[in-house]
Amino acid sequence: MKASSSDAAPDLNRSAVARYIQLASLFRRRIESGQWTVGQQIPTVDELAVEVGVARATIRQALDILAKDQLIERFRAKGTFVRKRPEVQLWCEVATDWSGLLMPRKNAVIQTLSEERGMQPHHVMHPVGTLAPSYQRIRRLHSRTGTPYYLSDLYIDERLASKISRKDFQSKPALKLIADIPGLKIKDARQTLTIGTADVETAKYLDISLNAPVAIVHRTVVDRDGCLVFIGEGLYRGDTLRIDMKLK
C-alpha cells in the first residue's frame, strides 16, 4: 500500500534554505512521525512534485538525501519504499536545575579547540553582576561515540581560570568547572535556552547541515561580590536534545 501524502502543500518560499533541503526535512519528518510507515511505498516523484509544486529534479535531490541516510530504498519498476525510521539520538538532556547541570554526560569526550586570555565577552544575555577585568575564553567541542553534539564558548574570570586543571577542562561540564573552584561562593546563576539554526561554522563543527535546528543555551554565574565569574554560550544539535520538566 502506497503511503499517503499531506493535503496542504508547504510554502517553500518562506525560507532561504534550498528547497530540496526543506523537502528532505519534510519527508524525513513524515517517516519519523509514522505518516510514511516502514515497508510502505511512498508517492512517486511525479506525485510529490505535484503535491509541493516543485520540479521533479528537486524531489529527486531531496530523496537522494533520505536514500543516503538509508531511510528509503528504491527498486527499479517497483517504486521507493521506507526502509527504516530515523534513529533517535536523544543523548543530551538539558537540565533545568543547578544540580542537574553539574552532572557529566556519560561517555562524553570533551575537546578543547582554542584558548585565549585577556578577553571580554561580546554579549551577556543576563543583566546581572559586573564584568571581571578580563576572561579566559575556551572553545570546547563535546562528542559521544565519535559524533559531535555540543559546541561551547566559555568565558571564565581569568583570576579563577588558573585554578582549574587541564584534566578538568577535558572532563567536566562548564558549570562543574566553576562550582569546584576552591573558595568560590556563588550568589546567582541563570540559564536561557532559545532555538535557532546552524550557521556555516556551527554546521562544520557539529557535522550537521547548514540551517539545521540547534538549541542555543546562555549561562551566567555571579559570585557573592556581584562579579560575573562565568559567561557561556553553547549550541546543541537539535537531533540529540531533550528537555524534561516536572510541571506539578
Side-chain angles (χ1 to χ4, degrees), residues 68-162:
K68 182 180 178 182
D69 291 341
Q70 300 183 352
L71 300 180
I72 60 173
E73 191 168 5
R74 295 162 169 145
F75 297 92
R76 186 179 299 274
K78 289 181 62 177
T80 301
F81 294 79
V82 178
R83 180 175 179 182
K84 66 177 183 178
R85 296 181 64 191
E87 294 180 5
V88 178
Q89 298 178 329
L90 296 177
W91 300 339
C92 192
E93 179 181 350
V94 177
T96 56
D97 65 308
W98 177 255
S99 60
L101 288 168
L102 300 183
M103 295 179 62
R105 304 297 173 197
K106 186 177 180 180
N107 299 325
V109 175
I110 303 175
Q111 176 188 2
T112 298
L113 301 177
S114 63
E115 296 181 59
E116 297 176 274
R117 298 181 181 275
M119 304 296 293
Q120 285 290 336
H122 299 295
H123 171 68
V124 180
M125 171 65 74
H126 307 113
V128 293
T130 56
L131 289 171
S134 66
Y135 292 85
Q136 183 170 339
R137 175 183 176 272
I138 303 103
R139 168 165 281 195
R140 304 198 301 176
L141 183 65
H142 299 234
S143 304
R144 186 176 177 185
T145 62
T147 301
Y149 67 89
Y150 181 57
L151 176 68
S152 64
D153 283 306
L154 316 179
Y155 288 84
I156 302 174
D157 186 337
E158 204 160 6
R159 296 168 296 186
L160 300 175
S162 60

XYZ file of all heavy atoms in Angstrom, residues 68-162:
783
model
N 20.629 8.369 1.064
C 21.976 8.364 1.632
C 21.944 8.000 3.111
O 22.843 7.319 3.619
C 22.630 9.732 1.439
C 24.048 9.824 1.943
C 24.636 11.204 1.714
C 26.049 11.308 2.266
N 26.618 12.680 2.075
N 20.903 8.448 3.810
C 20.742 8.131 5.231
C 20.089 6.766 5.436
O 19.783 6.393 6.572
C 19.900 9.208 5.919
C 20.635 10.538 6.009
O 21.872 10.535 5.890
O 19.966 11.571 6.187
N 19.848 6.055 4.337
C 19.284 4.700 4.360
C 17.877 4.654 4.956
O 17.453 3.646 5.532
C 20.214 3.742 5.111
C 21.589 3.623 4.490
C 22.485 2.618 5.186
O 22.155 2.093 6.239
N 23.633 2.351 4.598
N 17.129 5.755 4.794
C 15.745 5.796 5.277
C 14.779 5.266 4.228
O 13.687 4.799 4.571
C 15.361 7.227 5.664
C 16.205 7.882 6.756
C 15.703 9.286 7.036
C 16.193 7.049 8.031
N 15.161 5.357 2.957
C 14.334 4.834 1.878
C 15.181 3.953 0.969
O 16.411 4.031 0.988
C 13.687 5.964 1.047
C 14.767 6.848 0.408
C 12.740 6.791 1.910
C 14.227 7.881 -0.561
N 14.501 3.120 0.178
C 15.198 2.254 -0.763
C 14.408 2.223 -2.068
O 13.183 2.101 -2.063
C 15.332 0.841 -0.181
C 16.271 -0.050 -0.965
C 16.601 -1.328 -0.219
O 16.022 -1.554 0.873
O 17.446 -2.104 -0.715
N 15.118 2.383 -3.171
C 14.480 2.422 -4.480
C 14.619 1.068 -5.170
O 15.682 0.454 -5.137
C 15.112 3.517 -5.338
C 14.883 4.927 -4.798
C 15.867 5.883 -5.427
N 15.530 7.278 -5.155
C 16.427 8.228 -4.963
N 17.705 7.945 -5.009
N 16.041 9.465 -4.746
N 13.548 0.660 -5.840
C 13.547 -0.585 -6.599
C 13.070 -0.285 -8.019
O 12.013 0.322 -8.198
C 12.629 -1.624 -5.953
C 13.057 -2.048 -4.580
C 12.565 -1.402 -3.451
C 13.967 -3.084 -4.403
C 12.960 -1.785 -2.180
C 14.367 -3.475 -3.138
C 13.869 -2.825 -2.026
N 13.848 -0.689 -8.983
C 13.503 -0.450 -10.382
C 12.158 -1.112 -10.718
O 11.929 -2.276 -10.400
C 14.605 -0.995 -11.295
C 14.418 -0.666 -12.776
C 15.560 -1.224 -13.605
N 16.838 -0.653 -13.217
C 17.322 0.501 -13.702
N 16.607 1.195 -14.570
N 18.501 0.949 -13.310
N 11.323 -0.330 -11.342
C 9.996 -0.775 -11.810
C 9.014 -1.072 -10.672
O 7.876 -1.469 -10.928
C 10.113 -1.997 -12.716
N 9.432 -0.878 -9.430
C 8.526 -1.126 -8.304
C 8.209 0.143 -7.523
O 7.102 0.324 -7.034
C 9.128 -2.166 -7.354
C 9.160 -3.575 -7.916
C 9.750 -4.552 -6.904
C 8.929 -4.651 -5.633
N 9.481 -5.646 -4.685
N 9.188 1.034 -7.388
C 8.975 2.261 -6.650
C 9.946 2.425 -5.501
O 10.934 1.700 -5.386
N 9.654 3.393 -4.639
C 10.508 3.721 -3.500
C 9.775 3.387 -2.212
O 8.611 3.768 -2.036
C 10.887 5.211 -3.522
O 11.567 5.507 -4.751
C 11.800 5.563 -2.349
N 10.476 2.707 -1.301
C 9.858 2.225 -0.069
C 10.640 2.724 1.145
O 11.855 2.932 1.083
C 9.820 0.693 -0.059
C 8.921 0.109 -1.101
C 9.337 0.023 -2.431
C 7.660 -0.357 -0.757
C 8.508 -0.518 -3.399
C 6.820 -0.909 -1.738
C 7.246 -0.978 -3.056
N 9.906 2.903 2.248
C 10.547 3.302 3.506
C 11.314 2.108 4.059
O 10.742 1.023 4.248
C 9.504 3.790 4.531
C 10.198 4.150 5.854
C 8.745 4.991 3.995
N 12.586 2.328 4.319
C 13.435 1.239 4.812
C 13.465 1.206 6.338
O 13.413 0.138 6.955
C 14.853 1.417 4.275
C 15.816 0.347 4.706
C 17.162 0.525 4.046
N 18.115 -0.481 4.466
C 19.378 -0.529 4.069
N 19.829 0.382 3.214
N 20.188 -1.466 4.499
N 13.570 2.373 6.959
C 13.599 2.440 8.424
C 13.277 3.848 8.868
O 13.286 4.792 8.067
C 14.980 2.030 8.966
C 16.094 3.002 8.594
C 17.423 2.572 9.225
C 18.504 3.609 8.897
N 19.810 3.249 9.526
N 12.979 3.992 10.132
C 12.745 5.319 10.715
C 14.088 5.914 11.126
O 15.054 5.185 11.389
C 11.830 5.214 11.936
C 10.436 4.713 11.624
C 9.591 4.655 12.867
N 9.384 5.990 13.423
C 8.858 6.224 14.632
N 8.528 5.207 15.414
N 8.696 7.447 15.057
N 14.159 7.257 11.195
C 15.403 7.888 11.661
C 15.738 7.410 13.071
O 14.853 7.204 13.904
C 15.069 9.386 11.650
C 13.928 9.522 10.702
C 13.144 8.248 10.824
N 17.013 7.218 13.317
C 17.443 6.799 14.639
C 17.251 7.927 15.644
O 17.572 9.076 15.369
C 18.922 6.391 14.619
C 19.195 5.153 13.787
C 20.656 4.776 13.799
O 21.421 5.431 14.532
O 21.033 3.829 13.086
N 16.700 7.584 16.784
C 16.518 8.569 17.843
C 17.825 8.707 18.609
O 18.363 7.731 19.124
C 15.378 8.154 18.796
C 15.237 9.158 19.919
C 14.072 8.027 18.022
N 18.344 9.923 18.670
C 19.641 10.147 19.297
C 19.532 11.177 20.417
O 20.237 12.167 20.440
C 20.659 10.624 18.257
C 20.908 9.618 17.148
C 21.884 10.140 16.131
O 21.965 11.332 15.871
N 22.654 9.255 15.545
N 18.611 10.927 21.328
C 18.416 11.873 22.420
C 19.474 11.628 23.489
O 19.223 11.104 24.560
C 16.997 11.728 22.995
C 15.872 12.072 22.028
C 14.524 11.827 22.674
C 15.983 13.515 21.561
N 20.700 12.023 23.149
C 21.823 11.793 24.050
C 21.831 12.761 25.210
O 22.318 12.466 26.277
C 23.137 12.000 23.306
C 23.347 11.112 22.152
C 22.741 9.914 21.898
C 24.237 11.340 21.074
N 23.207 9.396 20.724
C 24.123 10.243 20.206
C 25.122 12.364 20.759
C 24.873 10.143 19.036
C 25.865 12.262 19.606
C 25.736 11.167 18.754
N 21.363 13.951 24.964
C 21.689 15.037 25.873
C 20.439 15.687 26.440
O 19.698 16.352 25.723
C 22.528 16.077 25.137
S 23.263 17.256 26.255
N 20.222 15.475 27.698
C 19.116 16.128 28.388
C 19.641 17.408 29.022
O 20.572 17.386 29.825
C 18.538 15.211 29.464
C 17.405 15.843 30.240
C 16.873 14.934 31.322
O 17.251 13.756 31.349
O 16.076 15.416 32.151
N 19.047 18.548 28.644
C 19.456 19.824 29.224
C 18.721 19.994 30.541
O 17.492 20.125 30.572
C 19.144 20.999 28.281
C 19.524 22.322 28.940
C 19.899 20.834 26.966
N 19.471 19.968 31.617
C 18.862 20.074 32.943
C 18.334 21.484 33.181
O 18.820 22.464 32.613
C 19.888 19.708 34.012
N 17.316 21.564 34.020
C 16.723 22.859 34.357
C 16.952 23.225 35.818
O 16.329 24.139 36.336
C 15.211 22.835 34.061
O 14.604 21.755 34.773
C 14.955 22.653 32.567
N 17.848 22.510 36.487
C 18.187 22.836 37.863
C 19.707 22.784 38.027
O 20.414 22.186 37.223
C 17.498 21.886 38.843
C 17.994 20.458 38.686
O 17.984 19.952 37.544
O 18.405 19.855 39.691
N 20.200 23.412 39.056
C 21.647 23.551 39.269
C 22.331 22.194 39.406
O 23.350 21.940 38.765
C 21.906 24.411 40.507
C 23.345 24.572 40.861
C 24.022 23.980 41.880
C 24.314 25.384 40.175
N 25.335 24.371 41.893
C 25.547 25.231 40.855
C 24.254 26.223 39.071
C 26.705 25.891 40.454
C 25.415 26.883 38.672
C 26.628 26.706 39.354
N 21.776 21.318 40.222
C 22.434 20.030 40.445
C 22.504 19.220 39.158
O 23.499 18.533 38.885
C 21.704 19.236 41.537
O 20.352 18.994 41.172
N 21.463 19.304 38.334
C 21.469 18.567 37.077
C 22.511 19.076 36.111
O 23.117 18.298 35.362
N 22.750 20.377 36.117
C 23.728 20.968 35.215
C 25.163 20.623 35.604
O 26.082 20.808 34.803
C 23.552 22.486 35.175
C 22.306 22.976 34.438
C 22.064 24.450 34.710
C 22.432 22.736 32.940
N 25.369 20.139 36.815
C 26.714 19.768 37.263
C 27.071 18.329 36.901
O 28.238 17.943 36.992
C 26.828 19.943 38.786
C 26.587 21.347 39.342
C 26.809 21.347 40.852
C 27.485 22.381 38.681
N 26.096 17.565 36.450
C 26.344 16.150 36.182
C 27.022 15.957 34.828
O 26.612 16.551 33.831
C 25.025 15.377 36.208
C 24.349 15.352 37.562
S 22.770 14.453 37.522
C 23.333 12.812 37.040
N 28.071 15.132 34.764
C 28.738 14.866 33.483
C 27.887 13.968 32.598
O 27.049 13.217 33.073
C 30.025 14.147 33.915
C 29.662 13.493 35.207
C 28.693 14.420 35.894
N 28.091 14.093 31.274
C 27.388 13.248 30.314
C 28.137 11.921 30.171
O 29.356 11.905 29.986
C 27.307 13.933 28.955
C 26.659 15.295 29.006
C 25.223 15.210 29.458
N 24.654 16.542 29.655
C 23.552 16.784 30.342
N 22.921 15.784 30.916
N 23.091 18.015 30.466
N 27.407 10.828 30.223
C 28.021 9.510 30.128
C 28.693 9.328 28.775
O 28.122 9.605 27.741
C 26.955 8.431 30.339
C 27.517 7.031 30.405
C 26.422 6.027 30.680
C 26.988 4.617 30.754
N 25.929 3.606 31.017
N 29.937 8.869 28.819
C 30.729 8.570 27.612
C 31.033 9.792 26.756
O 31.396 9.656 25.586
C 30.029 7.509 26.757
C 29.844 6.200 27.482
O 30.686 5.804 28.277
N 28.732 5.522 27.229
N 30.877 10.983 27.318
C 31.181 12.195 26.551
C 32.690 12.429 26.501
O 33.401 12.179 27.474
C 30.487 13.402 27.169
N 33.148 12.909 25.359
C 34.542 13.298 25.179
C 34.567 14.791 24.909
O 33.844 15.292 24.028
C 35.184 12.529 24.003
C 36.593 13.036 23.743
C 35.193 11.036 24.286
N 35.394 15.525 25.667
C 35.457 16.977 25.530
C 36.801 17.368 24.943
O 37.849 17.028 25.492
C 35.255 17.674 26.889
C 33.913 17.258 27.505
C 35.315 19.191 26.723
C 33.678 17.808 28.901
N 36.748 18.077 23.833
C 37.966 18.525 23.146
C 38.062 20.043 23.237
O 37.114 20.754 22.903
C 37.918 18.103 21.679
C 39.094 18.592 20.850
C 38.915 18.309 19.372
O 37.884 17.776 18.942
N 39.905 18.681 18.572
N 39.207 20.549 23.697
C 39.438 21.992 23.706
C 39.935 22.410 22.328
O 40.974 21.953 21.862
C 40.470 22.372 24.770
O 39.962 22.005 26.070
C 40.735 23.876 24.755
N 39.169 23.289 21.682
C 39.506 23.727 20.328
C 40.421 24.939 20.327
O 41.301 25.065 19.460
C 38.227 24.050 19.548
C 37.223 22.903 19.398
C 35.975 23.394 18.676
C 37.845 21.727 18.652
N 40.219 25.840 21.292
C 41.054 27.047 21.345
C 40.967 27.670 22.727
O 40.004 27.449 23.472
C 40.616 28.067 20.283
O 39.295 28.516 20.525
N 41.996 28.467 23.070
C 42.045 29.197 24.336
C 42.637 30.578 24.083
O 43.596 30.724 23.319
C 42.917 28.470 25.352
C 42.412 27.109 25.775
C 43.342 26.460 26.808
O 43.541 27.068 27.880
O 43.871 25.381 26.518
N 42.059 31.585 24.711
C 42.564 32.951 24.599
C 42.470 33.627 25.962
O 41.493 33.429 26.687
C 41.761 33.757 23.575
C 41.831 33.230 22.156
C 40.936 34.024 21.227
O 39.731 33.685 21.150
O 41.420 34.987 20.591
N 43.456 34.437 26.271
C 43.451 35.174 27.540
C 43.243 36.667 27.278
O 43.386 37.138 26.160
C 44.766 34.941 28.292
C 44.993 33.479 28.668
C 46.301 33.300 29.443
N 46.524 31.903 29.786
C 46.016 31.302 30.853
N 45.262 31.989 31.696
N 46.271 30.021 31.082
N 42.885 37.370 28.348
C 42.693 38.816 28.235
C 41.491 39.203 27.403
O 41.516 40.220 26.710
N 40.433 38.395 27.457
C 39.256 38.599 26.614
C 38.096 39.215 27.396
O 38.049 39.157 28.630
C 38.808 37.265 26.014
C 39.886 36.542 25.228
S 40.398 37.461 23.760
C 38.884 37.372 22.788
N 37.156 39.787 26.640
C 35.879 40.241 27.180
C 34.771 39.669 26.303
O 34.917 39.588 25.086
C 35.787 41.766 27.188
C 36.608 42.457 28.274
C 36.036 42.229 29.672
O 34.853 41.956 29.840
N 36.900 42.322 30.684
N 33.662 39.234 26.894
C 32.571 38.672 26.090
C 31.931 39.750 25.215
O 31.829 40.913 25.611
C 31.590 38.149 27.139
C 31.885 38.951 28.368
C 33.346 39.234 28.337
N 31.508 39.342 24.025
C 30.851 40.287 23.127
C 29.423 40.575 23.564
O 28.891 41.651 23.281
C 30.831 39.720 21.701
C 32.204 39.482 21.136
N 33.080 40.515 20.887
C 32.841 38.339 20.771
C 34.202 40.016 20.387
N 34.088 38.701 20.322
N 28.822 39.621 24.255
C 27.413 39.771 24.634
C 27.160 39.008 25.926
O 27.647 37.893 26.102
C 26.507 39.232 23.528
C 25.058 39.151 23.906
N 24.294 40.283 24.126
C 24.240 38.079 24.104
C 23.058 39.911 24.435
N 23.009 38.595 24.433
N 26.398 39.620 26.837
C 25.991 38.961 28.078
C 24.469 38.912 28.091
O 23.808 39.955 28.086
C 26.518 39.698 29.319
C 26.064 38.985 30.590
C 28.037 39.797 29.279
N 23.921 37.719 28.076
C 22.474 37.544 27.976
C 21.737 38.074 29.197
O 20.694 38.723 29.099
C 22.161 36.056 27.777
C 20.683 35.691 27.869
S 19.666 36.418 26.564
C 20.149 35.390 25.167
N 22.296 37.816 30.390
C 21.584 38.143 31.624
C 22.164 39.410 32.271
O 23.354 39.449 32.571
C 21.664 36.965 32.602
C 21.208 35.672 32.002
N 22.064 34.608 31.760
C 19.993 35.279 31.557
C 21.387 33.625 31.225
N 20.133 33.998 31.084
N 21.345 40.422 32.497
C 21.825 41.686 33.074
C 22.006 41.596 34.589
O 21.314 42.263 35.369
C 20.717 42.670 32.691
C 19.473 41.834 32.671
C 19.900 40.477 32.166
N 22.934 40.754 35.012
C 23.209 40.597 36.443
C 24.721 40.682 36.650
O 25.497 40.210 35.840
C 22.679 39.244 36.976
C 21.168 39.198 36.946
C 23.243 38.075 36.175
N 25.115 41.298 37.751
C 26.532 41.348 38.084
C 27.331 42.313 37.220
O 26.826 42.938 36.282
N 28.601 42.434 37.561
C 29.524 43.299 36.824
C 30.621 42.441 36.202
O 30.988 41.386 36.724
C 30.161 44.333 37.767
O 30.819 43.645 38.855
C 29.104 45.266 38.340
N 31.153 42.912 35.087
C 32.177 42.152 34.382
C 33.485 42.102 35.160
O 33.850 43.063 35.845
C 32.427 42.769 33.009
C 31.308 42.587 31.969
C 31.607 43.443 30.748
C 31.148 41.122 31.578
N 34.206 40.995 35.036
C 35.543 40.873 35.603
C 36.519 41.678 34.744
O 36.209 42.031 33.601
C 35.952 39.405 35.633
N 37.705 41.990 35.252
C 38.683 42.752 34.458
C 39.038 42.068 33.139
O 39.212 42.728 32.118
C 39.899 42.839 35.392
C 39.321 42.702 36.766
C 38.175 41.762 36.630
N 39.148 40.751 33.148
C 39.437 40.010 31.913
C 39.038 38.553 32.101
O 38.902 38.066 33.227
C 40.917 40.110 31.539
O 41.717 39.459 32.512
N 38.876 37.871 30.973
C 38.415 36.486 30.994
C 39.324 35.603 30.142
O 39.961 36.075 29.191
C 36.995 36.379 30.425
C 35.934 37.024 31.285
C 35.665 38.387 31.167
C 35.203 36.288 32.204
C 34.683 38.993 31.949
C 34.222 36.880 32.995
C 33.966 38.235 32.858
O 33.008 38.827 33.629
N 39.347 34.334 30.511
C 39.934 33.323 29.646
C 38.799 32.724 28.830
O 37.802 32.253 29.378
C 40.641 32.236 30.455
C 41.323 31.191 29.578
C 42.211 30.253 30.386
O 42.636 30.580 31.492
N 42.501 29.089 29.830
N 38.947 32.752 27.518
C 37.919 32.216 26.625
C 38.353 30.833 26.151
O 39.456 30.659 25.638
C 37.712 33.117 25.414
C 36.741 32.576 24.375
C 36.682 33.521 23.180
N 35.826 32.996 22.125
C 36.225 32.193 21.153
N 37.506 31.802 21.109
N 35.383 31.772 20.222
N 37.477 29.851 26.354
C 37.770 28.478 25.942
C 36.643 27.994 25.049
O 35.461 28.085 25.421
C 37.906 27.532 27.154
C 38.987 28.017 28.113
C 38.207 26.106 26.695
C 38.435 28.687 29.340
N 36.993 27.513 23.886
C 36.002 26.886 22.998
C 36.182 25.379 23.098
O 37.292 24.864 22.941
C 36.172 27.362 21.563
C 35.368 26.549 20.547
C 35.264 27.226 19.210
N 34.253 28.278 19.249
C 33.735 28.854 18.175
N 34.153 28.499 16.963
N 32.819 29.779 18.271
N 35.072 24.676 23.344
C 35.145 23.224 23.510
C 34.095 22.537 22.626
O 33.011 23.091 22.381
C 34.900 22.831 24.972
C 35.852 23.494 25.957
C 35.877 22.785 27.297
N 34.568 22.735 27.954
C 34.327 22.094 29.104
N 35.292 21.437 29.711
N 33.119 22.108 29.644
N 34.422 21.323 22.217
C 33.510 20.509 21.423
C 33.266 19.198 22.165
O 34.205 18.482 22.508
C 34.117 20.225 20.049
C 33.234 19.426 19.070
C 31.994 20.220 18.696
C 34.040 19.063 17.821
N 32.002 18.905 22.399
C 31.618 17.685 23.100
C 31.130 16.655 22.088
O 30.317 16.971 21.216
C 30.486 17.970 24.094
C 30.846 18.957 25.160
N 30.709 18.680 26.501
C 31.323 20.221 25.088
C 31.089 19.737 27.208
N 31.464 20.682 26.369
N 31.606 15.423 22.233
C 31.231 14.345 21.311
C 30.871 13.098 22.100
O 31.244 12.934 23.260
C 32.379 14.016 20.351
O 32.790 15.157 19.633
N 30.161 12.223 21.435
C 29.843 10.922 22.016
C 29.853 9.892 20.897
O 29.260 10.118 19.853
C 28.473 10.960 22.694
C 28.136 9.683 23.439
C 26.819 9.808 24.167
N 26.461 8.568 24.816
C 25.316 8.359 25.455
N 24.423 9.319 25.510
N 25.064 7.195 26.017
N 30.549 8.796 21.138
C 30.743 7.725 20.137
C 31.174 8.311 18.794
O 30.726 7.865 17.738
C 29.459 6.873 19.960
O 28.395 7.711 19.469
C 29.060 6.230 21.262
N 32.032 9.307 18.863
C 32.595 9.894 17.657
C 31.725 10.928 16.975
O 32.127 11.493 15.948
N 30.550 11.222 17.505
C 29.639 12.193 16.889
C 29.546 13.449 17.756
O 29.186 13.365 18.934
C 28.235 11.591 16.726
O 28.321 10.426 15.906
C 27.297 12.595 16.069
N 29.870 14.620 17.209
C 29.781 15.864 17.989
C 28.327 16.247 18.247
O 27.471 16.065 17.379
C 30.476 16.887 17.086
C 30.299 16.356 15.700
C 30.328 14.866 15.828
N 28.055 16.763 19.453
C 26.678 17.159 19.758
C 26.576 18.530 20.433
O 25.483 19.092 20.523
C 25.979 16.107 20.625
C 26.544 15.961 22.023
C 26.066 16.728 23.085
C 27.551 15.040 22.296
C 26.576 16.588 24.363
C 28.058 14.884 23.566
C 27.575 15.658 24.604
O 28.090 15.521 25.860
N 27.699 19.104 20.893
C 27.616 20.366 21.646
C 28.885 21.170 21.449
O 29.991 20.659 21.651
C 27.413 20.048 23.130
C 27.281 21.252 24.038
C 26.316 22.213 23.826
C 28.128 21.408 25.133
C 26.189 23.309 24.669
C 28.009 22.487 25.992
C 27.031 23.446 25.756
O 26.911 24.526 26.593
N 28.718 22.422 21.021
C 29.829 23.353 20.836
C 29.646 24.504 21.801
O 28.568 25.100 21.856
C 29.844 23.870 19.390
C 30.883 24.932 19.039
C 32.295 24.351 19.096
C 30.595 25.519 17.654
N 30.688 24.823 22.571
C 30.520 25.858 23.593
C 31.678 26.846 23.603
O 32.819 26.509 23.278
C 30.396 25.214 24.983
O 31.590 24.534 25.331
N 31.342 28.073 23.976
C 32.317 29.124 24.238
C 32.167 29.542 25.691
O 31.089 29.989 26.104
C 32.099 30.329 23.322
C 32.613 30.089 21.914
O 33.789 29.735 21.781
O 31.837 30.259 20.957
N 33.244 29.397 26.464
C 33.220 29.703 27.894
C 34.109 30.909 28.174
O 35.233 30.982 27.684
C 33.729 28.510 28.712
C 33.229 27.112 28.325
C 33.860 26.077 29.239
C 31.718 27.040 28.384
N 33.587 31.828 28.966
C 34.376 32.954 29.456
C 34.463 32.817 30.971
O 33.452 32.918 31.674
C 33.730 34.292 29.088
C 33.830 34.639 27.622
C 32.917 34.139 26.702
C 34.840 35.477 27.156
C 33.006 34.463 25.349
C 34.940 35.815 25.812
C 34.017 35.295 24.920
O 34.118 35.619 23.582
N 35.661 32.548 31.464
C 35.881 32.341 32.887
C 36.789 33.450 33.412
O 37.825 33.761 32.799
C 36.533 30.972 33.153
C 35.628 29.859 32.594
C 36.783 30.759 34.636
C 36.239 28.477 32.678
N 36.376 34.064 34.510
C 37.190 35.106 35.151
C 38.646 34.633 35.205
O 38.941 33.566 35.753
C 36.639 35.351 36.559
C 37.321 36.517 37.270
O 38.465 36.870 36.915
O 36.708 37.057 38.205
N 39.532 35.410 34.613
C 40.919 34.975 34.478
C 41.595 34.754 35.824
O 42.529 33.960 35.939
C 41.695 35.996 33.647
C 42.904 35.402 32.969
C 43.374 36.241 31.799
O 42.844 37.339 31.575
O 44.283 35.785 31.103
N 41.105 35.426 36.847
C 41.670 35.236 38.185
C 41.327 33.857 38.747
O 41.992 33.366 39.669
C 41.145 36.326 39.130
C 41.579 37.740 38.738
C 40.809 38.794 39.497
N 39.378 38.770 39.191
C 38.497 39.665 39.646
N 38.909 40.650 40.436
N 37.225 39.576 39.320
N 40.287 33.217 38.187
C 39.859 31.897 38.654
C 40.273 30.774 37.712
O 40.440 29.630 38.135
C 38.329 31.878 38.813
C 37.731 32.884 39.796
C 36.206 32.822 39.736
C 38.224 32.629 41.205
N 40.436 31.094 36.437
C 40.720 30.066 35.436
C 42.002 29.300 35.748
O 42.112 28.105 35.457
C 40.801 30.694 34.051
N 42.970 29.985 36.351
C 44.249 29.327 36.662
C 44.096 28.252 37.732
O 44.988 27.408 37.903
C 45.269 30.374 37.123
O 44.807 31.044 38.285
